[in-house]
Amino acid sequence: MTTTRFRGIIPPVITPLTTGGEVDTTTLTAVVEHLVTEGVHGVFALGSTGEVAYLDDAQRDVVVRTVVAAVAGRVPVLVGAIDTTSGRVAQAARRAAEAGADAIVATAPLYAINDMAEIERHFRAVAAATELPLFAYDIPVRVRTKLPADLLVRLGSDGVLAGVKDSSGDDVGFRRLVAANAAAGSPLAVLTGHEVVVDGMLLLGADGVVPGLGNVDPGGYARLWQAAQAGDWTRAREEQDRLAALFEIVFQAQGRSGDASGVGAFKTAMHHLGLIPSATMAFPVEPLDGATTARVAAIVDATMPARV
């Protein structure tokens, strides 16, 4: 598999949960089918939007097997192997490979305090533990480490990394990464996780986007991608502006945790749209309250295209 497969719209799939906190495989299958039908180019299971940090190993395995079966080879399946240290990440990567993943996504080590030389050895060890393409997940808000462009491009040039999923929110850093990657012959597929500036990131050379909001409106992101590929930047801007207005749902739960206000808003919007039967969050996160839910629903109704 080459990195050219990993481009376009690749949403980080939510993990629907029963009210008892178990993975709702029936709904997860339906969510994946909705994403693929709406025109996404891949899916990313067990990312932050998938509440990976809250799931035990058995639940994570259920998610991967369910997503792989639902996709049925139509688009690539990227799977997060998110854990504390290299050995545990390698174990998760091997389990994901056995379950049918097409690529692995890993962060720098969690909790452990490592310098950049140690982080480089970490990624090399994880890559050596699996034959699947490995993506570095740059998300300093959760890991407390910002992955520098020179490290990522070096690992790409050495064949260690196939790509980068950049959720740093550092748009200057992202542009520098795209430029450094291009100067090195583009060894990496460079994906942005910044939902509200996708048009700009594609214009400057991003290979794709991993938008949590894509669970709510995958068709909108697919249209944005199509417009960008056609060079119709006016149409891309119009679609992006509408998606940015829809993204206001994540700012409605003031005073709540990042997971409650972000992933909780996505699940609340999907429940409002009839895509999932429950907005249940992983313990100990509580769903959004009634007033916040009403505000989210109003934004969805005002910004989403009319449903047929």
Side-chain angles (χ1 to χ4, degrees):
M1 182 178 298
T2 65
T3 58
T4 55
R5 286 193 63 192
F6 302 105
R7 63 193 305 268
I9 308 302
I10 307 175
V13 186
I14 66 153
T15 301
L17 300 170
T18 67
T19 54
E22 292 305 316
V23 178
D24 181 348
T25 57
T26 299
T27 300
L28 179 55
T29 297
V31 168
V32 171
E33 184 62 31
H34 176 65
L35 294 174
V36 174
T37 300
E38 287 290 303
V40 304
H41 307 94
V43 294
F44 172 31
L46 299 182
S48 303
T49 302
E51 298 174 274
V52 61
Y54 300 93
L55 305 179
D56 62 30
D57 287 350
Q59 290 172 317
R60 294 182 187 192
D61 291 347
V62 168
V63 168
V64 179
R65 289 196 299 268
T66 302
V67 170
V68 168
V71 165
R74 290 174 290 176
V75 297
V77 177
L78 290 74
V79 173
I82 312 299
D83 219 309
T84 51
T85 54
S86 306
R88 295 181 63 84
V89 173
Q91 291 174 353
R94 285 191 287 264
R95 291 202 318 274
E98 290 170 358
D102 294 305
I104 301 299
V105 183
T107 69
L110 309 176
Y111 191 78
I113 302 175
N114 296 121
D115 60 26
M116 284 302 160
E118 292 163 348
I119 290 171
E120 178 168 350
R121 290 198 291 274
H122 161 78
F123 280 115
R124 290 184 183 276
V126 174
T130 176
E131 294 182 356
L132 295 181
L134 175 64
F135 277 67
Y137 191 175
D138 189 14
I139 184 164
V141 69
R142 293 183 182 272
V143 181
R144 308 300 182 192
T145 299
K146 177 73 179 79
L147 299 175
D150 60 344
L151 169 65
L152 295 169
V153 173
R154 180 168 65 252
L155 291 175
S157 297
D158 288 350
V160 175
L161 293 178
V164 178
K165 194 261 185 178
D166 186 300
S167 293
S168 67
D170 178 359
D171 294 336
V172 173
F174 185 80
R175 186 169 195 134
R176 295 183 69 220
L177 172 61
V178 171
N181 186 53
S186 300
L188 299 167
V190 183
L191 311 175
T192 178
H194 206 169
E195 289 103 328
V196 297
V197 292
V198 175
D199 54 346
M201 298 301 100
L202 294 179
L203 180 61
L204 68 83
D207 295 298
V209 58
V210 187
L213 189 65
N215 286 277
V216 180
D217 189 4
Y221 281 101
R223 290 190 296 273
L224 195 165
W225 171 261
Q226 292 162 2
Q229 294 305 292
D232 188 344
W233 296 106
T234 298
R235 183 160 59 95
R237 168 68 182 273
E238 291 170 351
E239 195 67 57
Q240 180 68 88
D241 284 347
R242 186 187 63 78
L243 288 165
L246 176 60
F247 192 70
E248 288 295 310
I249 62 175
V250 308
F251 302 112
Q252 301 310 304
Q254 299 296 324
R256 295 293 305 277
S257 70
D259 287 340
S261 59
V263 181
F266 298 155
K267 283 190 169 183
T268 298
M270 295 175 76
H271 180 240
H272 178 65
L273 291 168
L275 297 172
I276 58 176
S278 169
T280 300
M281 296 288 291
F283 182 84
V285 183
E286 293 288 339
L288 303 185
D289 61 40
T292 305
T293 295
R295 291 195 297 272
V296 168
I299 292 170
V300 170
D301 290 341
T303 57
M304 288 281 290
R307 285 170 277 168
V308 178

